[in-house]
Amino acid sequence: MADGDATETGSRTEKIEINRTAYEAYRDTADVQIEGVRRLEGKALETVKVVLLVTLGIVSAWNVFDQLTIDLYVVAAVLSFLYSLWCCIGVYTPSIHPLGLSADAIGEIQRETDLEHHYAELVDTYQEVVEKNREKMQGRTAEFRRGLWAAFAGIALFAASIGRLVTAESSIEPDLGVVLLVLALAYFGYRQ
């Protein structure tokens, strides 16, 4: 009988240790996810700054040079920049990411007397936190990539507008082809 109790106690101790290790791994993963969200928000904010600075530079150039006109490139670039801003602001917009245990869970933990059950509950809670954060991070990352590639497309389109001024080409066919090519490259860049 004593050997059976020792085996059961050893098995219980192992289960407690496994749950404790799993809880710590999930907790660390949740911390890394939150840090990733903060880095992504920082990148989105930097992209917004770049888009606004490029736009400011273009508006300033418009005021200095008389020959600048609104053409297909400029319209497409402005739309790309607006879309980029929309996406990046969406990434930076505060949302609720689960950070860990709720106040209710902390109260339950304080009342818990079974260590095995305690760690099992922590594992379940942090597993949910990690899954929710993973889903939100995937959505935010995709939105940031769309915004970043739209910014690249806008810059390329403004460069094409300047190139059009230099060559004094006035036909719409090359314009439409270049706009579609830049937007297609931006789309395929985003999909990578």
Side-chain angles (χ1 to χ4, degrees):
M1 188 91 165
D3 286 339
D5 289 343
T7 303
E8 186 178 312
T9 302
S11 174
R12 181 172 164 77
T13 303
E14 289 171 5
K15 183 68 173 170
I16 290 170
E17 184 60 27
I18 289 169
N19 282 339
R20 185 187 64 76
T21 303
Y23 148 69
E24 290 172 352
Y26 277 125
R27 184 193 62 210
D28 293 345
T29 301
D31 291 344
V32 168
Q33 287 175 327
I34 296 303
E35 184 58 35
V37 167
R38 290 186 181 120
R39 280 193 314 271
L40 186 64
E41 287 174 345
K43 289 178 183 181
L45 188 58
E46 292 299 319
T47 302
V48 167
K49 290 176 185 177
V50 167
V51 167
L52 292 175
L53 284 173
V54 169
T55 304
L56 180 63
I58 292 165
V59 169
S60 297
W62 230 299
N63 290 330
V64 173
F65 300 107
D66 293 336
Q67 68 259 27
L68 293 178
T69 61
I70 295 177
D71 59 12
L72 184 59
Y73 294 131
V74 172
V75 171
V78 167
L79 291 175
S80 290
F81 278 161
L82 288 173
Y83 182 68
S84 176
L85 289 171
W86 177 267
C87 290
C88 290
I89 289 170
V91 168
Y92 194 71
T93 301
S95 69
I96 297 173
H97 282 270
L99 300 175
L101 302 175
S102 68
D104 294 338
I106 292 172
E108 289 177 27
I109 289 170
Q110 291 174 335
R111 291 186 296 276
E112 184 62 56
T113 58
D114 182 358
L115 191 58
E116 182 179 358
H117 184 260
H118 165 72
Y119 280 123
E121 288 293 316
L122 286 174
V123 167
D124 291 344
T125 300
Y126 271 97
Q127 185 177 16
E128 289 174 23
V129 167
V130 166
E131 183 60 29
K132 287 178 184 176
N133 284 340
R134 184 189 62 76
E135 291 170 5
K136 286 184 177 189
M137 187 64 172
Q138 284 177 339
R140 284 180 146 195
T141 300
E143 192 167 13
F144 172 71
R145 289 182 76 190
R146 285 191 301 270
L148 184 63
W149 282 100
F152 290 151
I155 291 169
L157 289 164
F158 272 122
S161 180
I162 300 300
R164 185 170 188 265
L165 284 174
V166 171
T167 62
E169 179 67 40
S170 63
S171 176
I172 187 81
E173 290 84 17
D175 289 353
L176 189 56
V178 170
V179 168
L180 292 175
L181 177 65
V182 168
L183 294 177
L185 290 174
Y187 176 75
F188 287 117
Y190 156 71
R191 298 300 289 170
Q192 294 300 319

